[in-house]
Amino acid sequence: MTRTETTKFLGKLLTDTRLGGAGSHWASEVSIDPWTPKARRVDYMEFSPANQCSVSGIEKGIFTCYEIKSCKEDVYSGNGLNFFGEKNYIVTTMACYKDILPDFRSGKFANYMSEKHPDSSTYYGIMVAIPFWGEATEEFNDPTPLSEDINWKLEIVLPCRQGIRTKSMTELLFCMLRSGR
């Protein structure tokens, strides 16, 4: 698959397997601080309230941001990696994960984020596409090439600890609403 096809594939996989369903409130291409020098766009943003039956349940909700990255070059392209939620994930392929894992371990990725994306949260993890019947450890050793002929799922290979956010709930919900999905 090309980079563009891989990006579309991963986005569809995310919406089909992680963002759909009851109680899921999400939007794509969410613009943050548009028309300012700090304008950013988040590929996908999800709001998960503790419950939908009370004000306190809604106010205890958290935001999760997802950035789709097709390859290592895409990760370091300077585009994306805009993390404004309590949880944030890079959604990618196993091959890309294997390529960037040494950068995570060495601190190179953290330094890149600090330099190029200083407004982004430092709380992030990684999800990878693996065959529905597969295991992440097996796929790490022998990745299956992406194909529309196989059923896929997203697996968290680097969990994200819940952190703090710097944008208000009202602002982020408005940004999601404005995106139109």
Side-chain angles (χ1 to χ4, degrees), residues 32-40:
I32 309 291
D33 298 327
W35 311 290
T36 73
K38 289 188 168 191
R40 304 284 184 271

Side-chain angles (χ1 to χ4, degrees), residues 11-116:
K12 183 167 176 12
L13 183 61
L14 177 66
T15 59
D16 288 351
T17 64
R18 291 280 179 157
L19 300 181
S24 178
H25 309 281
W26 63 274
S28 61
E29 300 296 327
V30 179
S31 295
I32 309 291
D33 298 327
W35 311 290
T36 73
K38 289 188 168 191
R40 304 284 184 271
R41 183 169 287 160
V42 178
D43 287 342
Y44 294 88
M45 186 179 289
E46 176 183 33
F47 177 68
S48 304
N51 67 60
Q52 298 181 43
C53 302
S54 68
V55 172
S56 63
I58 293 168
E59 288 177 346
K60 292 174 187 168
I62 69 163
F63 290 87
T64 305
C65 296
Y66 303 91
E67 290 287 356
I68 308 293
K69 297 297 172 189
S70 61
C71 61
K72 184 175 183 175
E73 294 76 23
D74 194 11
V75 170
Y76 289 108
S77 69
N79 299 318
L81 299 177
N82 298 307
F83 297 138
F84 296 101
E86 285 91 347
K87 289 187 173 184
N88 305 281
Y89 285 98
I90 295 171
V91 179
T92 192
T93 64
M94 184 60 81
C96 177
Y97 171 63
K98 287 176 71 169
D99 285 345
I100 63 174
L101 185 58
D103 296 348
F104 271 79
R105 291 182 174 156
S106 71
K108 178 182 175 182
F109 183 80
N111 291 338
Y112 171 80
M113 288 296 291
S114 177
E115 181 183 323
K116 301 290 185 184

